[in-house]
Amino acid sequence: MKKLLLVFCFLILNTVGFSQETEVKYDEALAKSLHADEYGMKKYVFCLLKSGSNTTASKEETKKLFEGHMENIGKLAKEGKLTVAGPFMKNDRNYRGIYIFNVETIEEAKALVATDPAIKANLLEAELTPWYCTATLQEITKMHEKIAKTKM
């Protein structure tokens, strides 16, 4: 009975300890550097990439355009304009991938989309939507560089 009581007390104490909130430490300098609002959030533009209307491009042309597409992704990421990019797995909706642009307006995102050779050639089509998310999303690229063994 004593053992059962001890185990019960131990469980209660651990539950109380784990359930207490930890102190949140606001980092004003970091928030400002990421252009976060009072909620730690900011505006982005979400871009859904779909299959475009160009279905007649040769394999060689398509390969060249997608090489340019990947180079453009790297360029925009280095400039801090592209926060996230990635392909979708095979699906029946013609969804090809996403971009999350680190800009506040659709007009700014349209200018960035216009630099993508695969979009210019209509291999891909871009659908743009304003999006509100954590300002720390911008830090993903820095973290990714630390875990990627091989560069794309």
Side-chain angles (χ1 to χ4, degrees):
M1 184 69 173
K2 278 187 174 182
K3 280 186 180 182
L4 185 59
L5 186 58
L6 283 173
V7 169
F8 181 74
C9 288
F10 176 76
L11 290 174
I12 294 293
L13 288 173
N14 277 331
T15 303
V16 170
F18 286 121
S19 68
Q20 292 186 6
E21 290 185 31
T22 58
E23 183 181 336
V24 176
K25 296 186 180 179
Y26 175 70
D27 186 335
E28 184 176 1
L30 179 59
K32 283 183 179 179
S33 74
L34 297 175
H35 305 286
D37 64 14
E38 64 272 17
Y39 303 108
M41 308 279 279
K42 74 179 288 298
K43 293 178 187 175
Y44 297 92
V45 174
F46 180 90
C47 176
L48 178 61
L49 296 171
K50 301 177 185 179
S51 296
S53 60
N54 183 349
T55 58
T56 60
S58 69
K59 284 187 179 186
E60 297 81 28
E61 184 182 9
T62 299
K63 182 178 185 267
K64 183 179 175 187
L65 289 167
F66 274 99
E67 285 171 359
H69 169 75
M70 295 304 293
E71 287 173 17
N72 193 59
I73 287 171
K75 176 182 158 286
L76 293 174
K78 282 181 185 170
E79 292 173 357
K81 297 293 184 186
L82 185 62
T83 301
V84 173
F88 284 115
M89 307 314 274
K90 189 173 178 128
N91 63 80
D92 60 357
R93 295 186 199 142
N94 291 320
Y95 291 170
R96 301 291 297 275
I98 65 166
Y99 288 154
I100 298 177
F101 290 113
N102 190 14
V103 298
E104 290 194 9
T105 67
I106 296 292
E107 291 72 30
E108 291 172 289
K110 281 181 181 177
L112 297 175
V113 163
T115 66
D116 189 313
I119 293 173
K120 283 196 265 188
N122 294 318
L123 290 177
L124 296 174
E125 175 187 310
E127 184 179 298
L128 303 168
T129 305
W131 194 48
Y132 187 62
C133 183
T134 177
T136 59
L137 186 64
Q138 301 164 79
E139 300 295 292
I140 293 293
T141 303
K142 293 175 191 170
M143 287 192 299
H144 181 77
E145 290 170 358
K146 293 178 182 180
I147 64 166
K149 203 174 197 179
T150 305
K151 301 267 185 222
M152 290 179 75

